[in-house]
Amino acid sequence: MSEVLLSVENMVKQFPIKQTMFDVIARKPKRYVRAVDDVSFQVQKGETVGLVGESGCGKSTLAKTICRLHSPDGGKVVFDGMDMFGLRSDELRRVRYKMQMVFQDPYSSLNPRMTVRQMLTEILSVHKLCPKEERTARELEVLDMVGMGENALDRYPSQFSGGQRQRINIARALIMKPDMLIADEPVSALDVSIQAQIINLLIDLKNELDLTMLFISHDLRVVKYISDRVVVMYLGRIVEMGETEELYESPCHPYTDILLKAAPEVDPDSDGGEYVIHGETPSPIDIPGGCRFHPRCPYADEKCKTVEPPLVELWPGRCVACHHRLGGQGPA
Amino acid sequence: MMREPLLSVRELRTYFLNNKKIVRAVDGVSFDVNKSEIFGLVGESGCGKSATCRSLIRLVQSTGEIVGGEILYNGEDIVQAPEKRMAEIRGREIGMIFQEPMNTLNPLTTIGVQLMEVYQRQKLSKAEMTEKAVEMMRLVGIPDPVTRLKDYPHQFSGGMRQRAMIAIALAAQPKLLLADEPTTALDVTIQDQIIRLLLELREKLSMSIILVTHDMGVASRMCDRIAVMYAGRIMEITTSHELFYNPRHPYTLGLMRSMPLAGKGVRLEPIQGTPPDLSEEITGCPFAPRCKMACDRCRTESPALREVEPGHLSACHRAEELTGESFLTCKEVQ
């Protein structure tokens, strides 16, 4: 049995809504957006977990809170046996380099005024990872890993294309020799042909360096291709999780089912099926009572409007939060 | 009998001036759009698909200019038409919707005012205008249209804003709708709703649509025919079925192989390299430096868009050698 590298337990992250002067005078209670609401899951060492959901479902907030880029409002994150939320900032710095992030936008996540060498050197010196005289060698090593040459070292981000910048972003994360990579929509801003290059690169690096990866994306095709397991989120909660193949073959939650059917298949003969989803994701400020998905769910009944379904384990590895789960088949 | 095309574009060239360099964003593009047809322009960013689309109603950014070619709309050349005539064509004959509706709707006036603006030229009374606006809102599936007319764009959600944009674009009953990445900014479930809406409206109003998209999935769902663009030129035009089952251009095939269609473990085959810089002179085929099939002829002689099979055009010297490959072969190798 493989060991658990990352364990998220009942994590809550909420953001206060700005109050107007009138609200303050009238002493209205502060309201919050519960971006991540009681989320628990585990990532085993060496696996790739895909996190999917539509915009505003809390997937990016979840990722940032795991790294403590946001301070959490509840719950626990245990990474490699250490409680991330209990660490002091100097301790956190020592732990954090084991867990690195790659962000979506390759344009805004690199400092335009720093050369690639400056960026990489800064990381090495801040974390005192290697002696001065070995720095250049280490920098060249990671650039080589992401398929870039020595001539990239003294150039600025503006001199690279989107795909190359994303390679630099990955190099920047890898220079720390992390155990885990959290990739937040790493290929969403790229064109298909470049996207494929980066996906191949991530898979190769994962195998070579024995990385564990949390891969966040709204693109279901990419997630299916890259992940071992998939976690589906809706309005701050996990609605379903399970093995990738199994989950795509037989989704148990109506939302997963709809999400999979709505993604246009590359097939000129497909008419998209008869399935239509009505309505839009409600605002996370006014989360519907009962099951969060009930206003849009074709199977919703009275119970769904009042009782929130808990996330239950159907069989080892497969969890779903629904009163009327679809007939997913257990593993043969 | 050959049907008369609604729109016929011949050798269109739109160049931009960037840092004193000429960027050939659209470089000799030719295609026809038939009546009540959905025609797709697909390609990666910077391939000139949006510039082509904007050229069709002469709304190119100020640094760009249509430098050659003709755009025949119902036999009338749009490139040569006086500005006054263009104002009539825009909206009334050819409507347009954009990717990000928040940037194209006026945030300071209500949706109702923006929608009714379209009817002002028809000299209708206020009551008639409101009635027509409500009818339009209902057509695009905005619930509770009477009250929603009084709302401002920020009170609409992303999907509803796109519906409002479509309502405004269709209010003057154009015969051709230009849709530039209409679903790219939306979530998949909302994207599905907008795709269904556009398909339904095409049937109801029997209008033609030119759909610009980078998403092969959306293109395959919606389009009757698809043109694949690369470096300002058209690489291939054919029906969407043919394009996916029998692509005749290495670039089209490259795009399909780049998509994760097959199961895990089947390695993706990305197209190596990056697209060419359009501010530099390109000799030969623009795709040749990235093409696995490129030969000497490809590097020196630019291939013309030619008919390789009835109704199937490809700009590749070696199109005949590409047979029996399709997205299905990419999908099924397991």
Side-chain angles (χ1 to χ4, degrees), chain A residues 281-321:
Chain A
T281 315
S283 151
I285 303 170
D286 293 306
I287 288 176
C291 172
R292 291 163 187 226
F293 187 57
H294 86 257
R296 302 174 78 191
C297 182
Y299 308 101
D301 61 12
E302 280 309 310
K303 190 180 177 194
C304 300
K305 285 178 194 160
T306 48
V307 186
E308 177 148 22
L311 191 67
V312 287
E313 189 162 33
L314 299 179
W315 54 81
R318 185 65 173 272
C319 299
V320 66

Side-chain angles (χ1 to χ4, degrees), chain B residues 176-212:
Chain B
L176 175 65
L177 180 71
L178 308 179
D180 190 355
E181 303 265 11
T183 61
T184 307
L186 307 172
D187 278 324
V188 270
T189 53
I190 311 301
Q191 167 171 284
D192 188 57
Q193 293 172 1
I194 299 291
I195 290 175
R196 282 169 198 273
L197 173 68
L198 285 172
L199 286 171
E200 185 193 313
L201 289 174
R202 187 265 298 255
E203 291 296 319
K204 267 189 201 160
L205 311 172
S206 69
M207 61 174 176
S208 308
I209 300 177
I210 295 182
L211 175 80
V212 174

Side-chain angles (χ1 to χ4, degrees), chain A residues 193-254:
Chain A
S193 65
I194 310 297
Q195 203 174 38
Q197 294 174 7
I198 300 294
I199 292 173
N200 278 347
L201 176 70
L202 283 172
I203 292 175
D204 290 346
L205 289 171
K206 181 193 169 284
N207 294 338
E208 257 168 56
L209 307 174
D210 204 18
L211 286 171
T212 305
M213 194 149 63
L214 182 62
F215 188 93
I216 301 167
S217 182
H218 67 278
D219 189 329
L220 294 150
R221 254 182 268 155
V222 174
V223 169
K224 182 180 182 186
Y225 183 76
I226 206 165
S227 325
D228 303 312
R229 283 197 306 129
V230 176
V231 174
V232 185
M233 282 183 76
Y234 185 76
L235 278 179
R237 282 266 165 104
I238 293 177
V239 292
E240 186 166 10
M241 57 185 170
E243 302 280 327
T244 308
E245 293 285 317
E246 193 189 293
L247 186 121
Y248 275 71
E249 276 301 308
S250 55
C252 288
H253 197 285

Side-chain angles (χ1 to χ4, degrees), chain B residues 214-232:
Chain B
H214 70 279
D215 188 325
M216 290 294 235
V218 174
S220 77
R221 268 280 312 274
M222 284 188 69
C223 300
D224 301 314
R225 284 192 310 135
I226 297 176
V228 180
M229 284 190 75
Y230 184 77

Side-chain angles (χ1 to χ4, degrees), chain B residues 256-319:
Chain B
M256 287 173 195
R257 289 211 175 120
S258 299
M259 287 184 285
L261 299 171
K264 268 177 82 88
V266 183
R267 203 169 164 77
L268 300 178
E269 286 181 53
I271 305 173
Q272 296 305 325
T274 44
D277 183 354
L278 296 180
S279 60
E280 267 150 43
E281 193 81 41
I282 297 169
T283 44
C285 172
F287 186 58
R290 303 176 76 188
C291 181
K292 281 183 187 155
M293 293 171 68
C295 58
D296 288 338
R297 191 178 167 207
C298 302
R299 289 181 204 102
T300 50
E301 189 190 329
S302 175
L305 193 64
R306 64 200 167 88
E307 195 156 28
V308 287
E309 265 172 65
H312 194 150
L313 309 176
S314 167
C316 177
H317 292 308
R318 306 180 69 178

